């Protein structure tokens, strides 16, 4: 869609992005066309994931669009630094993540947006697991509360529950579960100790599962099953 | 490499490290061996894996047409910048 007016030449015979100034002006001109084709062809299939990831990170559609545009611009300007074209996707997402984190840090420097410490609810939620609320070992899977839960929870509700997490918790869960970064990478990206990554992740999961449990109960999951109300921590 | 028999408590404690691929090959194998013979831990693992997949899927959202237009415009600018830069 983004390249509706662009050639869609498959870059199969062009394993590397053409570099500026390969040799002579004519080559350079051809190179720029190839570079644009190469770049665009790889960018297009990633657009929904770029936007979705940016939306989970920023929580706001306008901010998400800004971050994607910023990342695409930076990626184009730094294309010569991409040594392994097979890593284009990971490289681009890294640029997107860094663009977000820079902006997030800048905004956090404002005192009104600096709330960071783990609150009581987060500490309490750390021990919460949805599975314990739903699991009934003697029921068949398809009649179980677990299955009822997965049938009831909508992707939009899950997104809203993620977006509602306090920033420090939301960021680690998005970086680990949505983007697939290792704990070590998250520690480096956010500049926090590894132990903090682990504790925030654990609290984020607890808070998220608690929120989904509330939604599921509101949707009637568990009504009619004995004892489900007695599990709430 | 030596294998180790894990108990349920240890498996549940390391479950998210396993799902997040934070364990080395031997540790992951120890967990998988336990999951193959423990129905409760297997159920818990499958539940968390399924929930995790939903969280992962939340990172894919159809990009709005306005963003596609904006990126297309940006790419067109790249073209003209490159042409301007030619000697």
């Amino acid at each position: 869609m983004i390249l509706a007016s662009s050639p869609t030449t498959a870059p199969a015979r062009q394993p590397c992005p053409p570099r500026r100034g390969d040799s002579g002006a004519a080559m350079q001109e051809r190179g720029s066309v190839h570079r644009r084709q190469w770049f665009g062809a790889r960018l297009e299939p990633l657009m929904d994931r770029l936007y979705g990831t940016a939306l989970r990170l920023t929580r706001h559609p306008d901010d998400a669009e800004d971050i994607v545009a910023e990342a695409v611009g930076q990626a184009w300007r730094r294309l010569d630094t991409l040594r392994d074209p097979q890593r284009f996707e990971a490289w681009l997402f890294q640029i997107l993540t860094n663009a977000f984190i820079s902006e997030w840090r800048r905004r956090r420097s404002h005192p009104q947006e600096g709330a960071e410490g783990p609150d009581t609810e987060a500490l309490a939620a750390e021990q919460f697991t949805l599975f314990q609320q739903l699991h009934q070992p003697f029921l068949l899977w398809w009649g179980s509360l677990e299955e009822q839960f997965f049938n009831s929870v909508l992707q939009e509700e899950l997104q809203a529950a993620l977006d509602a997490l306090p920033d420090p918790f939301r960021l680690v869960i998005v970086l680990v579960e949505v983007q697939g970064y290792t704990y070590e990478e998250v520690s480096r990206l956010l500049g926090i100790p590894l132990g903090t990554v682990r504790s925030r992740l654990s609290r984020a999961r607890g808070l998220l599962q608690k929120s989904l449990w509330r939604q599921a109960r509101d949707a009637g999951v568990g009504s009619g099953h004995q004892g489900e109300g007695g599990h709430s921590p | 490499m030596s294998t180790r028999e894990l108990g349920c408590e240890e498996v549940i404690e390391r479950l998210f490290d396993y799902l997040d691929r934070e364990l080395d090959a031997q540790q992951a194998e120890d967990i998988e061996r336990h999951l193959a013979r423990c129905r409760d831990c297997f159920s818990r693992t499958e539940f968390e894996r399924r929930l995790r997949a939903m969280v992962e899927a939340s990172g894919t959202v159809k990009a709005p047409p306005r963003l596609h237009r904006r990126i297309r415009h940006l790419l067109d600018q790249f073209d003209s910048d490159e042409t301007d830069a030619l000697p």
Side-chain angles (χ1 to χ4, degrees), chain A residues 22 30 42 60 85 91 125 130-131 158 178 182 198 218 231:
Chain A
D22 279 347
R30 277 201 301 277
R42 271 155 184 77
H60 301 289
W91 178 76
L130 250 177
F131 183 77
L158 183 122
V178 176
T182 64
R198 285 180 176 279
D218 289 349
H231 288 290

Side-chain angles (χ1 to χ4, degrees), chain A residues 179-233:
Chain A
Q179 297 195 257
Y181 285 113
T182 64
Y183 299 170
E184 186 78 45
E185 287 168 333
V186 174
S187 164
R188 274 201 304 274
L189 281 165
L190 296 179
I192 55 177
L194 202 55
T196 308
V197 173
R198 285 180 176 279
S199 62
R200 285 187 188 176
L201 194 53
S202 174
R203 286 166 197 168
R205 283 173 170 143
L207 284 170
L208 179 68
Q209 294 203 1
K210 211 168 178 181
S211 165
L212 292 173
W213 170 236
R214 284 192 207 107
Q215 286 180 11
R217 278 196 309 190
D218 289 349
V221 173
S223 55
H225 281 76
Q226 268 194 329
E228 58 84 22
H231 288 290
S232 294

Side-chain angles (χ1 to χ4, degrees), chain A residues 157-188:
Chain A
E157 292 170 342
L158 183 122
Q159 288 170 3
L162 263 178
D163 290 354
L165 292 175
D167 262 8
F169 304 129
R170 186 175 56 81
L171 288 188
V172 289
I173 200 168
V174 169
L175 291 171
V176 170
E177 295 201 6
V178 176
Q179 297 195 257
Y181 285 113
T182 64
Y183 299 170
E184 186 78 45
E185 287 168 333
V186 174
S187 164
R188 274 201 304 274

Side-chain angles (χ1 to χ4, degrees), chain A residues 2 36 62 66 141 183, chain B residues 20 22 50 66 68 79:
Chain A
I2 54 172
R36 153 73 189 267
D62 288 349
D66 287 347
W141 171 258
Y183 299 170
Chain B
D20 293 338
E22 290 286 328
R50 209 167 159 189
R66 187 175 67 168
H68 281 283
D79 269 352

